[in-house]
């Protein structure tokens, strides 16, 4: 059900909202995920070498990297999102980040944009996986939030609602502890167009 609602929103078949456990709702910003967000260019400028875009969605960053001449691969668990990326000229696989990912240990950049540090509701586990995917001289770029919390959320539209799933948010004052637990260090925290990012590099 989660995938069906998400795919429908990407296809423009209806307005889908993210519902929080406390009852708050907000529209999924699919237009930004498809068309771009302020600050994207600065994010892309930081990418170097083979780049893995985790939770790539419709592939705007994956495609933009390819257009810049960088080898880039998007991975996402939503078939329609992967199809959109491929149709736009990007390389993408239908893949969970915790499953087998090609090039493990050789990626020079791993992207966790658009809040994807929250995937799975366990930032430490996700960053441990990212550390295993990175080249020893690579770096991860993670987009941060305004506060640190893990919550239950679900998707809904006018006709249907998904199961609850866990999602996390990590703020700049907490990313260092999560990174250290995963064998990473915070090389830099920076902001662009109201968005906050952390550059994470392997220890040693």
């Amino acid at each position: 059900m989660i995938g069906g609602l998400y795919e429908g929103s990407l296809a423009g078949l209806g307005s889908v909202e993210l519902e929080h456990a406390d009852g708050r709702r907000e529209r999924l910003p699919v237009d930004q995920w498809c068309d771009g967000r302020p600050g994207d260019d600065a994010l892309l400028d930081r990418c170097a070498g083979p780049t893995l875009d985790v939770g790539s969605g419709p592939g705007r960053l994956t495609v933009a990297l390819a257009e810049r001449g960088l080898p880039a691969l998007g991975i996402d668990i939503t078939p329609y999102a992967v199809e959109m990326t491929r149709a736009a000229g990007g390389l993408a696989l239908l893949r969970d980040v915790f499953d087998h990912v090609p090039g493990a240990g050789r990626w020079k950049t791993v992207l966790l944009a658009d809040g994807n540090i929250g995937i799975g509701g366990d930032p430490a586990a996700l960053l441990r996986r990212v550390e295993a995917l990175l080249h020893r001289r690579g770096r991860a770029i993670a987009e941060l939030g305004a506060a640190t919390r893990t919550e239950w959320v679900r998707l809904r539209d006018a006709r249907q609602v998904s199961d609850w799933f866990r999602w996390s948010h990590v703020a700049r004052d907490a990313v260092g502890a999560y990174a250290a637990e995963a064998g990473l260090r915070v090389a830099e925290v920076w902001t662009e167009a109201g968005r906050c990012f952390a550059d994470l590099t392997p220890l040693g």
Side-chain angles (χ1 to χ4, degrees), residues 8-86:
S9 68
L10 291 177
L13 300 180
S15 178
V16 175
E17 294 179 318
L18 180 72
E19 180 181 4
H20 302 265
D22 62 6
R24 290 180 297 115
R25 298 183 189 180
E26 57 194 80
R27 187 180 66 84
L28 284 185
V30 293
D31 51 342
Q32 295 181 20
W33 295 340
C34 291
D35 301 329
R37 301 176 59 191
D40 278 355
D41 284 341
L43 172 60
L44 295 168
D45 288 343
R46 299 253 176 163
C47 297
T51 298
L52 180 69
D53 184 7
V54 176
S56 52
R60 79 178 193 283
L61 298 176
T62 304
V63 172
L65 287 167
E67 290 174 345
R68 289 174 174 227
L70 285 178
L73 173 67
I75 57 172
D76 202 279
I77 61 171
T78 304
Y80 185 66
V82 171
E83 292 173 10
M84 291 179 70
T85 304
R86 292 172 177 171

Side-chain angles (χ1 to χ4, degrees), residues 76-146:
D76 202 279
I77 61 171
T78 304
Y80 185 66
V82 171
E83 292 173 10
M84 291 179 70
T85 304
R86 292 172 177 171
L91 181 63
L93 291 177
L94 184 65
R95 197 65 48 92
D96 188 308
V97 65
F98 292 101
D99 292 338
H100 171 73
V101 175
R106 299 194 298 274
W107 293 101
K108 294 299 293 292
T109 307
V110 174
L111 288 181
L112 293 170
D114 301 325
N116 282 338
I117 195 171
I119 289 172
D122 188 341
L126 179 60
L127 290 178
R128 283 194 296 270
R129 176 57 175 152
V130 167
E131 193 277 337
L133 293 169
L134 275 174
H135 186 278
R136 61 187 180 86
R137 294 183 181 174
R139 69 173 169 184
I141 304 175
E143 186 163 358
L144 306 177

Side-chain angles (χ1 to χ4, degrees), residues 156-170:
R156 67 182 307 143
D157 64 11
R159 297 169 300 164
Q160 52 190 338
V161 61
S162 77
D163 293 333
W164 294 98
F165 59 96
R166 283 169 59 87
W167 195 267
S168 292
H169 309 264
V170 178

